[in-house]
């Protein structure tokens, strides 16, 4: 136990926390097994970023009681603006640090058997489903130190289950509000879309503080069974000083589709891993991300699509803007396993550098173990195109405005994909604030 | 808004250390349509870009004034606001900005803060102009020039011209790559602008465009200078006889002139 003293937690803290939540034994044991692995396992190794000295595991308190936001009226104005105003169609979960608040799901969806609830309740009330899918198919606790840390100490999150053949038209929305940096945000989102189902989910990680020293360890698992269709939108705006590990992973069955639209706007150091495993034949992944790096932050974004199924298709599109003294690394990986014939792996990564001291790197990687496939990549790191700037200015648009238009245009592919109008607007205004 | 006179005096322009314009003189008064013709490499596009202020084109000598103001001292956007417009030979493609957004931003930049064009008025004008130019109305929602065919890009330049209503329009090979029907539409757009306050400088390689837009003056450019000026009949003669007779007449021997 001597080694573990360097962490601000021990076995008894986990046991107490689990008991306080009234968790079933299997979940507690899952935590404790993971706890034993934390020290054994190495940190993940994102290409081209050294993270050995980053703090991913130190914190002051493991959980905190915050004001529960139980109604829309309780919410801060900036959060209200993110929400669909049409209350009949509101499917919403709001979590304030670790405290769950608003949880609404339309009666129609409840009747159809859709489950939408905070994770720690789901563990108790839907144990069979959680036990089956939580960190079993997509992400596993024993991958590296940060997945083990996550499994041992998870303190928030949400579970969404869409039964077979249920098609949900209105987006399902989660908002994770963060204003207690002393407490780590160890958050887990689990989405299970059963056969032939369809759902659109959108989430915000929202820091209320501009600057805060802390950590976030976020894992999302999306499991899309045969012919299911999941659209996943996210806007992360965690504060400067928050060191984030965020892992969003998908598992796609036969003819299943997973589409990601990620606005990665954290102001702190961030390691982001967005991997989709195309397991079934004819499965499909589309992953779009936009990123703005500013200040002195270092960010590493790995987007990976792994093709197992025949005729599977994976598209990666990443656009990033880097300014000040920020560093942004893009790793795009398309991997076609042996047997995944007729698959198509395509990726595009582009970085726009807005200042001389900014650093950026875009690494396209194709790993192909099958002959009869298609694969392509495009990557670039460059400045704002002089010719485009000239063209816009020649129509009377001042230089700054022209630059703004070009940057916005460059980041538009993801902004336009976000399902909730309020979230789309928010991402636009975040980008505006960050690039000006 | 009254028209204004564009005066170009002894203009010398260098591109990447090579002198392309070697003393151009030209005066365009309100209401006048001028055509500049000449073989490839004569410096026609350079003249257009230098007037608009492309950063790669360096003016080493001479002056350009518009309505008495020193154009060369202005930023590119200020030149546009003063009333100059360049329909480009190769318009840029810009992803993520719709044609309509772009046009509204440009119009409002010109009108200034607090005087923005009302949205409905803008949409009406846009629809009407696109119809006039026989453009698919969906093109207003497409990204600026992205994936447009050559002809669509040229039509889109004329759309911008008609929406922005400049005092002087420079049209750089607006006819290149157009089939006859598209050419007629483009010409119709330009002719519709004709007024006492609007003048244009049409840069073209071929006489063909001038069958549909009748210029008041035709200038021939060779080796970085305007070597001959006349009326519409000059264009017809160039079409029939080529440029050799001018060279002979003026005793020009220039290896840069190649077809």
């Amino acid at each position: 136990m001597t080694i573990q003293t360097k962490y601000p937690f021990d076995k008894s803290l986990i046991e107490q926390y689990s008991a306080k939540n009234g968790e079933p034994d299997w979940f507690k044991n899952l935590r404790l097994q993971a706890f034993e692995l934390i020290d054994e396992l190495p940190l993940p190794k994102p290409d081209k970023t050294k993270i050995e000295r980053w703090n991913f595991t130190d914190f002051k308190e493991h959980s905190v009681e915050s004001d529960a936001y139980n109604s829309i009226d309780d919410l801060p104005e900036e959060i209200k603006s993110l929400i669909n105003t049409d209350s009949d169609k509101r499917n919403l979960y709001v979590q304030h640090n670790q405290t769950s608040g608003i949880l609404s799901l339309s009666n129609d969806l409840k009747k159809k058997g859709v489950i939408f609830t905070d994770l720690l309740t789901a563990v108790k009330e839907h144990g069979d489903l959680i036990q089956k899918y939580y960190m079993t198919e997509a992400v596993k606790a024993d991958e590296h130190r940060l997945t083990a840390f996550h499994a041992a100490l998870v303190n928030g999150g949400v579970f969404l289950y869409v039964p077979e053949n249920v098609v949900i038209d209105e987006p399902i929305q989660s908002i994770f509000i963060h204003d207690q940096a002393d407490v780590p945000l160890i958050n887990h989102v689990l989405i299970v879309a059963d056969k032939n189902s369809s759902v659109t989910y959108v989430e915000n990680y929202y820091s209320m503080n501009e600057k805060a020293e802390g950590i976030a360890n976020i894992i999302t698992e999306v499991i899309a069974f045969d012919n299911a269709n999941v659209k996943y939108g996210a806007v992360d705006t965690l504060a400067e000083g928050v060191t984030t590990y965020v892992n969003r992973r998908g598992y796609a069955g036969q003819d299943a589709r997973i589409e990601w639209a990620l606005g990665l706007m954290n102001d702190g150091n961030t390691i982001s891993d967005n991997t989709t495993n195309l397991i079934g034949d004819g499965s499909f992944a589309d992953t779009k991300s936009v990123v703005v790096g500013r200040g002195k932050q270092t960010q590493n974004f790995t987007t990976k699509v792994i093709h197992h199924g025949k005729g599977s298709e994976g598209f990666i599109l990443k656009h990033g803007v880097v300014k000040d003294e920020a560093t942004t690394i893009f790793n795009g990986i398309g991997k076609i396993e042996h047997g995944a014939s007729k698959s198509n792996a395509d990726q595009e990564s582009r970085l726009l550098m807005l200042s001389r001291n900014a650093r950026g790197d875009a690494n396209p990687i194709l790993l192909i173990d099958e002959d009869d496939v298609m694969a392509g990549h495009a990557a670039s790191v460059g400045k704002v195109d002089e010719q485009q700037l000239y063209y816009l200015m020649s129509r009377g648009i001042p230089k700054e405005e022209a630059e703004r238009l070009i940057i916005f245009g460059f980041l538009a592919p993801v902004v336009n994909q976000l399902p909730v109008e309020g979230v789309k607007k928010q991402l636009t205004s975040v980008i505006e604030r960050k690039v000006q | 808004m009254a028209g204004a006179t564009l005066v170009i005096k002894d203009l010398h322009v260098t591109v990447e250390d090579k002198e392309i314009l070697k003393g151009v003189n030209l005066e365009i008064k309100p209401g006048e349509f001028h055509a500049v013709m000449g073989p490839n490499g004569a410096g026609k596009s350079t003249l257009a870009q230098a007037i608009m202020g492309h950063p790669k084109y360096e003016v080493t000598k001479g002056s350009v004034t518009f309505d008495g103001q020193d154009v060369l001292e202005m930023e590119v956007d200020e030149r546009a606001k003063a009333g100059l417009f360049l329909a480009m030979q190769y318009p840029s493609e810009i992803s993520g900005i719709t044609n309509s957004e772009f046009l509204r931003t440009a119009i409002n930049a010109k009108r200034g803060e607090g005087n923005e064009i009302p949205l409905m008025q803008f949409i009406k004008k846009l629809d009407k102009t696109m119809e006039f130019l026989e453009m698919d109305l969906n093109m207003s929602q497409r990204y600026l020039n992205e994936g447009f065919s050559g002809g669509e890009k040229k039509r889109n330049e004329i759309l911008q011209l008609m929406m922005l209503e400049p005092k002087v329009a420079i049209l750089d090979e607006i006819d290149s790559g157009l089939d006859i029907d598209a050419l007629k539409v483009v010409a119709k757009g330009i002719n519709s602008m004709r007024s006492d306050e609007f003048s244009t400088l049409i840069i073209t390689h071929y006489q063909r465009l001038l069958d549909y837009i009748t210029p008041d003056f035709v200038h021939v450019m060779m080796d970085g200078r305007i070597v001959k000026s006349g009326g519409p009949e000059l264009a017809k003669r160039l079409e029939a006889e080529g440029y050799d007779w001018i060279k002979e007449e003026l005793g020009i021997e220039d290896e840069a002139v190649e077809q």
Side-chain angles (χ1 to χ4, degrees):
Chain A
M1 297 299 280
T2 48
I3 275 173
Q4 282 152 6
T5 54
K6 69 179 176 185
Y7 295 118
F9 51 90
D10 56 17
K11 206 172 157 184
S12 70
L13 180 139
I14 293 171
E15 281 169 339
Q16 283 166 25
Y17 181 69
S18 183
K20 195 185 83 187
N21 293 331
E23 292 170 4
D25 281 348
W26 63 267
F27 198 74
K28 183 181 75 183
N29 291 336
L30 208 150
R31 287 183 182 276
L32 292 172
Q33 280 160 20
F35 170 75
E36 298 297 337
L37 295 172
I38 296 174
D39 250 347
E40 281 173 32
L41 295 172
L43 283 171
K45 287 191 177 55
D47 265 3
K48 309 226 171 188
T49 304
K50 279 196 184 313
I51 58 169
E52 287 78 10
R53 295 165 62 90
W54 293 25
N55 166 39
F56 288 103
T57 50
D58 197 20
F59 55 78
K60 292 205 174 86
E61 296 283 332
H62 174 245
S63 74
V64 65
E65 274 307 316
S66 303
D67 293 340
Y69 292 131
N70 283 318
S71 82
I72 302 287
D73 295 335
D74 297 342
L75 291 172
E77 286 305 317
E78 56 264 59
I79 302 297
K80 271 186 208 164
S81 68
L82 300 174
I83 294 168
N84 250 347
T85 43
D86 188 351
S87 60
D88 298 344
K89 292 181 180 165
R90 195 179 287 148
N91 304 302
L92 176 67
Y93 173 60
V94 180
Q95 180 180 308
H96 184 195
N97 298 311
Q98 280 72 51
T99 308
S100 31
I102 299 164
L103 180 62
S104 68
L105 184 69
S106 73
N107 285 330
D108 177 48
L109 294 182
K110 279 183 200 156
K111 258 186 248 159
K112 287 177 176 160
V114 175
I115 299 167
F116 185 48
T117 185
D118 71 277
L119 186 80
L120 297 180
T121 301
V123 165
K124 288 176 272 187
E125 294 181 0
H126 304 284
D128 50 336
L129 289 168
I130 302 291
Q131 201 164 1
K132 207 161 155 190
Y133 300 118
Y134 175 79
M135 298 193 86
T136 57
E137 294 286 358
V139 179
K140 295 189 175 72
D142 62 2
E143 287 179 24
H144 51 67
R145 185 174 300 162
L146 301 183
T147 52
F149 175 87
H150 182 95
L153 290 152
V154 63
N155 60 9
V158 75
F159 172 56
L160 171 63
Y161 176 75
V162 187
E164 223 175 296
N165 300 325
V166 172
V167 173
I168 305 178
D169 296 323
E170 306 82 36
I172 310 261
Q173 185 172 15
S174 293
I175 301 173
F176 302 102
I177 302 167
H178 183 241
D179 61 10
Q180 280 283 342
D182 289 348
V183 181
L185 183 66
I186 309 174
N187 214 59
H188 197 103
V189 175
L190 174 61
I191 297 178
V192 180
D194 221 326
K195 287 179 188 165
N196 307 315
S197 68
S198 175
V199 65
T200 298
Y201 169 87
V202 62
E203 68 186 3
N204 282 93
Y205 283 95
Y206 200 105
S207 278
M208 302 296 289
N209 327 54
E210 285 222 338
K211 205 169 171 178
E213 289 298 319
I215 62 168
N217 180 315
I218 296 163
I219 291 181
T220 281
E221 299 182 275
V222 172
I223 297 167
F225 284 110
D226 294 358
N227 208 33
N229 189 337
V230 179
K231 290 194 172 77
Y232 193 108
V235 179
D236 301 350
T237 50
L238 293 172
E240 184 184 346
V242 176
T243 301
T244 301
Y245 169 73
V246 52
N247 179 345
R248 291 185 171 103
R249 197 171 295 172
Y251 167 106
Q254 190 179 324
D255 295 316
R257 296 171 68 89
I258 301 178
E259 293 169 56
W260 307 92
L262 309 176
L264 303 163
M265 299 287 141
N266 288 345
D267 276 328
N269 292 345
T270 298
I271 298 298
S272 166
D273 176 352
N274 175 211
T275 298
T276 311
N277 289 298
L278 297 176
I279 304 295
D281 292 351
S283 53
F284 173 95
D286 183 57
T287 86
K288 292 193 170 82
S289 342
V290 290
V291 169
V292 176
R294 67 166 172 179
K296 293 186 178 205
Q297 70 179 147
T298 295
Q299 300 191 94
N300 182 303
F301 303 93
T302 299
T303 310
K304 198 192 287 185
V305 178
I306 305 172
H307 300 251
H308 295 271
K310 288 189 197 343
S312 55
E313 287 191 290
F315 298 94
I316 297 173
L317 180 112
K318 290 202 284 191
H319 282 188
V321 171
V322 198
K323 55 179 258 192
D324 304 333
E325 293 164 51
T327 299
T328 299
I329 307 291
F330 275 174
N331 297 312
I333 305 169
K335 187 163 195 274
I336 302 183
E337 301 288 359
H338 184 64
S341 54
K342 310 276 184 209
S343 287
N344 182 11
D346 196 70
Q347 58 169 298
E348 181 192 324
S349 297
R350 303 202 183 277
L351 278 169
L352 201 54
M353 312 302 293
L354 297 188
S355 84
R356 196 205 295 248
N357 296 323
R359 289 191 48 226
D361 200 355
N363 312 304
I365 300 163
L366 287 169
L367 303 166
I368 296 175
D369 212 0
E370 176 61 49
D371 293 331
D372 183 15
V373 299
M374 298 217 298
H377 65 78
S380 65
V381 178
K383 291 192 275 191
V384 171
D385 186 284
E386 286 287 327
Q387 190 63 36
Q388 290 184 342
L389 207 52
Y390 169 64
Y391 186 68
L392 294 179
M393 287 176 73
S394 80
R395 300 317 187 226
I397 300 171
K399 189 172 182 185
E400 273 184 19
E401 174 77 0
E403 271 179 342
R404 201 187 68 89
L405 281 176
I406 291 168
I407 292 166
F408 265 83
F410 177 71
L411 298 178
V414 167
V415 179
N416 294 342
Q417 292 283 318
L418 287 168
V420 174
E421 203 52 39
V423 178
K424 199 185 276 189
K425 277 194 191 138
Q426 177 226 0
L427 181 56
T428 304
S429 73
V430 170
I431 292 171
E432 190 137 349
R433 206 173 60 227
K434 291 185 78 158
V435 299
Q436 71 177 203
Chain B
M1 197 162 61
T5 302
L6 182 70
V7 182
I8 299 156
K9 272 190 193 154
D10 193 28
L11 191 68
H12 290 246
V13 175
T14 301
V15 183
E16 284 160 4
D17 293 332
K18 189 166 183 251
E19 186 167 64
I20 308 288
L21 296 191
K22 300 170 182 171
V24 173
N25 293 289
L26 190 62
E27 187 170 325
I28 300 174
K29 294 200 180 81
E32 293 177 351
F33 274 34
H34 291 245
V36 171
M37 301 184 72
N40 277 338
K44 305 187 299 291
S45 287
T46 299
L47 175 63
Q49 299 290 7
I51 296 170
M52 205 65 225
H54 192 294
K56 279 212 177 112
Y57 295 75
E58 193 196 341
V59 175
T60 52
K61 199 178 163 192
S63 69
V64 179
T65 59
F66 185 52
D67 205 9
Q69 292 172 277
D70 184 353
V71 170
L72 301 178
E73 281 298 308
M74 298 180 193
E75 293 289 338
V76 176
D77 60 310
E78 291 168 343
R79 298 181 196 204
K81 278 184 203 130
L84 295 175
F85 180 92
L86 170 59
M88 306 222 183
Q89 193 177 353
Y90 304 107
S92 290
E93 297 189 9
I94 303 178
S95 187
I97 312 164
T98 64
N99 225 354
S100 154
E101 247 179 299
F102 157 69
L103 274 169
R104 203 147 69 92
T105 308
I107 288 172
N108 286 337
K110 211 166 168 180
R111 292 171 65 119
E113 233 174 284
N115 187 31
E116 286 87 358
I117 186 168
L119 185 59
M120 282 318 294
Q121 191 187 326
F122 169 77
I123 292 171
K124 256 190 185 158
K125 182 172 180 178
L126 180 61
D127 284 355
K128 207 179 104 199
T129 313
M130 288 183 87
E131 257 165 47
F132 184 79
L133 293 173
E134 296 165 39
M135 291 171 79
D136 182 349
L137 292 185
N138 291 330
M139 286 184 73
S140 68
Q141 293 312 314
R142 281 173 61 187
Y143 291 152
L144 180 53
N145 292 326
E146 195 181 58
F148 284 25
S149 70
E152 285 173 333
K153 280 183 186 164
K154 294 295 165 87
R155 252 182 238 228
N156 207 34
E157 293 292 285
I158 301 303
L159 174 68
Q160 294 172 35
L161 166 69
M162 293 176 70
M163 293 294 290
L164 292 170
E165 300 176 343
K167 295 175 192 163
V168 175
I170 304 159
L171 310 169
D172 190 5
E173 306 224 2
I174 197 73
D175 50 339
S176 69
L178 291 185
D179 62 32
I180 194 72
D181 291 331
L183 185 72
K184 281 182 186 167
V185 170
V186 162
K188 183 173 83 165
I190 296 161
N191 284 327
S192 76
M193 298 286 291
R194 215 185 245 282
S195 81
D196 295 345
E197 291 167 10
F198 174 77
S199 51
T200 180
L201 178 63
I202 301 163
I203 289 170
T204 180
H205 203 74
Y206 303 103
Q207 137 81 16
R208 195 177 66 148
L209 178 66
L210 305 181
D211 288 340
Y212 301 96
I213 307 171
T214 313
D216 305 305
F217 303 94
V218 174
H219 311 276
V220 179
M221 203 163 168
M222 277 185 184
D223 191 25
R225 290 183 192 89
I226 286 173
V227 295
K228 194 169 183 66
S229 298
E233 73 291 342
L234 179 56
K236 293 232 157 55
R237 187 165 174 202
L238 289 171
E239 181 73 2
E241 299 176 32
Y243 293 99
D244 288 346
W245 64 275
I246 299 183
K247 279 190 242 170
E248 276 166 34
E249 199 178 287
L250 299 170
I252 294 175
E253 284 175 46
D254 184 14
E255 67 282 7
V257 177
E258 281 166 19
Q259 286 292 336

